[in-house]
Amino acid sequence: MFTPQGPTLRELAVQALSSVEHGYDLLAPKFDHTPFRTPDSILDAVATALDRIGPFDRGLDLCCGTGAGMEVLRELCRESVTGVDISAGMLTVGRGRVDAARARERGQAEAPERALPDGAPRVAWVRGDARALPFAPVFDLVVSFGAFGHFLPRELPGLFAEVHSALREGGRFAFPIMAPPRPSSPGYWALLAFDLVMRVRNAVWRPPFVMYYRAFRLDDVRRELVRAGFEVELHALPEFGRRPDGSPRCRMVVATRVSGPTSA
C-alpha cells in the first residue's frame, strides 16, 4: 500500500485512530490503491457464479465503498443498481468512478459499430448505515464484498434482518467468504496479530474502529442467516482451487429470502 498513489504510513495511522466512518472518509481518495479493495479476481468469480443464477432486476451493494461491487451489479441487473455506505467520502469517489466509466462508454458509442446496451440499469448512491437500511423490500439481489469485518458478532442478527427486509420474497443475498488460514500458516498469525492490535486500540482509544478479520465465521453466519429467515446455499468458486483436504478455498454464500424469519 506504500506506493506513490497509496496512503502514507502517517495517513493510515490517522485513519486507524478515527471512527470507521471518518477513517474511510479520509482514506477514500486513495482506497483503490490499497490492498483493502476487493481484488478483481474475487469480483469476477462472484459475477460469473451469479450470472448462472440470474437474471436480476434490482441490485443493492451493501457497504459499497468506492463501488467495485457496483460494477458487478451493473453487469447483472436489468433495472437499477444501488450502493449504500456510511462513508460520504467513499460514495463520492465511487460516484465519480462510475460517472467516468459511463462517459467512456458514451464516447465509444459514438462510433457506428459500437452502441450502449439497451436498458442499462439506473445507478443510485445512498449514504446509510447497513444496520438501519432505508429501503422497502424492492431488491432481488444484495451483494457485499469485504465489509463484514466492520460488524461485531453480536450485530449479525440485526444486520441480516435488515438485508432480509430490503429483499423481495425469493430475493438473494450473496457474498464471498474465504476459508480461514490454517494455524500452521503465516497468514493465520498475521490476522491474529492484527485483531489483537485492534482490540488493544479499541480498549484504550475512542472512538472505536471496528475491523476484525477473524470475527466472521461461516458456521455463525449460516446459523444467523437461517434465524433471519433465509435459506442458505454454498457455492464453491473453482477459480481459487481447493485446500489439501479437498475443501474450497473460497465459497459464495447465497441466502434466499423466504416468507418470514424462522426460529433457531
Side-chain angles (χ1 to χ4, degrees), residues 180-263:
R182 299 190 178 282
S184 58
S185 69
Y188 175 90
W189 295 102
L191 295 181
L192 178 62
F194 181 91
D195 282 7
L196 288 174
V197 169
M198 291 303 297
R199 291 185 186 281
V200 171
R201 177 255 186 248
N202 289 334
V204 301
W205 191 267
R206 292 290 184 273
F209 190 95
V210 177
M211 182 65 223
Y212 298 118
Y213 282 106
R214 299 174 66 251
F216 196 70
R217 295 181 171 88
L218 181 57
D219 288 345
D220 298 335
V221 168
R222 291 183 70 173
R223 181 181 65 251
E224 296 302 338
L225 284 169
V226 170
R227 286 179 175 173
F230 290 98
E231 294 178 350
V232 181
E233 297 178 336
L234 301 178
H235 298 253
L237 297 179
E239 294 87 344
F240 300 95
R242 293 183 176 270
R243 305 203 295 182
D245 64 1
S247 62
R249 295 187 185 277
C250 187
R251 294 180 172 97
M252 181 176 70
V253 177
V254 179
T256 302
R257 174 181 170 163
V258 293
S259 57
T262 61
S263 58

Side-chain angles (χ1 to χ4, degrees), residues 92-179:
T92 297
V93 173
R95 186 182 295 110
R97 275 181 31 149
V98 170
D99 288 349
R102 296 171 94 178
R104 289 193 297 270
E105 291 170 355
R106 286 194 296 270
Q108 292 172 348
E110 292 175 0
E113 68 275 10
R114 308 190 106 181
L116 288 174
D118 292 335
R122 302 183 305 274
V123 177
W125 305 83
V126 177
R127 186 183 179 192
D129 191 331
R131 295 163 296 189
L133 292 175
F135 304 116
V138 298
F139 300 101
D140 52 9
L141 176 63
V142 176
V143 298
S144 193
F145 296 94
F148 295 117
H150 294 302
F151 301 96
L152 297 171
R154 66 174 180 270
E155 296 177 306
L156 292 185
L159 176 66
F160 293 159
E162 288 295 310
V163 175
H164 187 278
S165 70
L167 282 166
R168 299 170 176 170
E169 186 171 349
R172 293 181 171 95
F173 177 30
F175 52 88
I177 185 167
M178 298 294 298

Side-chain angles (χ1 to χ4, degrees), residues 7-61:
T8 65
L9 181 60
R10 180 183 180 279
E11 288 171 329
L12 285 174
V14 172
Q15 179 215 1
L17 294 175
S18 305
S19 66
V20 174
E21 178 181 348
H22 184 55
Y24 276 101
D25 285 345
L26 295 173
L27 184 61
K30 299 182 178 182
F31 178 80
D32 289 336
H33 300 288
T34 73
F36 306 132
R37 180 189 181 274
T38 302
D40 287 339
S41 58
I42 293 180
L43 297 170
D44 293 343
V46 170
T48 298
L50 286 174
D51 188 52
R52 293 192 290 264
I53 298 173
F56 305 98
D57 290 327
R58 297 180 180 181
L60 173 68
D61 187 359

